[in-house]
């Protein structure tokens, strides 16, 4: 979704839909207005934050995910820190981090201030660690809450058979059983972590 699509009217209409999962992917690219302008993005961080606030006013703890590019030409240390701070402020469920890749023929390829691969890698690592922390915190918020899981497939984890699936927020969960639950929806609660990205489910 483009951030400017999320208006009060649009968010309210989404909230009234009975077959919609509250998992929204809003492309960000940078949490710095200066970088967004150089990217020719037609929104600001303030508009982006407002879109997130609107979704959170309609849905209870919706999963917000995004994309971020690090190392765009001319990105200074200060601008990168602005992006890092903005990601913390929004508190995403998941952030997909990409290192800027120079592509011949694009406007960005001709810009001054091309950054080294070492700098891009360092900044990427900082945001990857932040993503892990934010993602874990979001999952922790859903522990011991009533949930419904749509089971999809069997997975062997640590030598045991689990049926795995997702909540409506797209949190992955697993239930230890030999029964095939594929395609079924079960009610229960999330009781803990099986793996960093998989929670334990109990009916």
């Amino acid at each position: 979704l483009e951030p400017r699509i999320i208006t009060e009217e649009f968010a309210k209409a989404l909230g009234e839909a009975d077959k919609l999962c509250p998992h929204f992917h809003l492309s960000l690219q940078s949490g710095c207005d200066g970088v967004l302008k150089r990217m020719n993005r037609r929104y600001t961080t303030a508009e982006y934050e407002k879109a997130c606030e609107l979704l959170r006013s309609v849905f209870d703890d919706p999963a917000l995910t995004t994309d971020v590019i690090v190392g765009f030409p001319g990105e200074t240390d200060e601008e990168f820190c602005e992006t890092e701070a903005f990601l913390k402020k929004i508190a995403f469920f998941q952030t997909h981090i990409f290192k800027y890749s120079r592509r011949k023929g694009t406007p960005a390829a001709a810009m001054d201030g091309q950054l080294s691969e070492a700098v891009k890698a360092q900044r990427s690592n900082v945001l990857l660690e932040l993503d892990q922390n934010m993602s874990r915190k979001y999952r922790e918020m859903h522990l011991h809450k009533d949930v419904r899981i749509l089971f999809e497939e069997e997975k062997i984890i640590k030598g045991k058979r689990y049926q795995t699936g997702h909540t409506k927020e797209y949190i992955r969960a697993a239930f230890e059983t030999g029964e095939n639950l594929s395609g079924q929806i079960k009610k229960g609660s999330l009781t803990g972590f099986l793996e960093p990205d998989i929670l334990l489910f109990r009916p």
Side-chain angles (χ1 to χ4, degrees):
L1 294 172
E2 286 292 325
R4 293 190 300 175
I5 291 176
I6 311 297
T7 62
E8 289 187 23
E9 181 180 10
F10 184 71
K12 182 180 178 182
L14 293 179
E16 293 172 350
D18 60 357
K19 293 185 178 180
L20 185 143
C21 292
H23 175 205
F24 303 98
H25 188 83
L26 282 72
S27 182
L28 175 61
Q29 307 304 338
S30 175
C32 169
D33 286 329
V35 176
L36 287 174
K37 187 174 182 180
R38 293 200 297 278
M39 288 178 169
N40 201 29
R41 299 288 166 176
R42 299 184 179 182
Y43 54 85
T44 65
T45 54
E47 290 173 322
Y48 190 100
E49 183 177 1
K50 178 64 175 177
C52 295
E53 290 174 350
L54 284 171
L55 291 172
R56 284 173 168 156
S57 72
V58 172
F59 296 94
D60 182 25
D61 295 329
L64 302 182
T65 61
T66 196
D67 303 310
V68 171
I69 295 174
V70 297
F72 192 78
E75 183 184 62
T76 65
D77 288 339
E78 291 76 14
E79 288 175 331
F80 171 72
C81 288
E82 284 185 41
T83 290
E84 183 183 7
F86 188 74
L87 296 181
K88 291 178 181 178
K89 185 177 185 180
I90 300 299
F92 292 97
F93 169 38
Q94 290 180 328
T95 306
H96 304 285
I97 313 298
F98 301 92
K99 292 178 283 188
Y100 167 76
S101 179
R102 194 173 191 176
R103 294 186 180 179
K104 187 177 180 179
T106 62
M111 289 181 178
D112 293 332
Q114 300 289 331
L115 302 181
S116 69
E117 292 303 315
V119 169
K120 288 186 279 189
Q122 185 272 331
R123 292 178 181 178
S124 175
N125 289 337
V126 169
L127 296 191
L128 286 170
E129 182 177 355
L130 174 61
D131 170 57
Q132 290 177 352
N133 292 335
M134 291 193 300
S135 187
R136 182 177 179 87
K137 286 181 181 179
Y138 183 80
R139 290 181 171 90
E140 287 175 344
M141 288 170 52
H142 290 80
L143 288 175
H144 311 299
K145 289 185 176 181
D146 293 334
V147 298
R148 292 192 302 164
I149 304 293
L150 170 60
F151 286 99
E152 297 157 289
E153 62 180 356
E154 180 181 276
K155 184 176 176 67
I156 304 299
I157 304 175
K158 300 175 182 177
K160 297 181 179 180
R161 293 176 64 187
Y162 290 87
Q163 293 291 309
T164 64
H166 293 85
T167 70
K168 65 185 189 315
E169 296 86 6
Y170 210 63
I171 296 173
R172 195 174 184 196
F175 174 49
E176 186 181 353
T177 178
E179 183 182 359
N180 182 6
L181 301 178
S182 180
Q184 298 184 41
I185 295 176
K186 297 288 186 180
K187 295 181 179 180
S189 63
L190 302 174
T191 61
F193 284 83
L194 178 61
E195 291 188 344
D197 62 343
I198 304 178
L199 297 185
L200 284 164
F201 171 78
R202 176 179 296 170

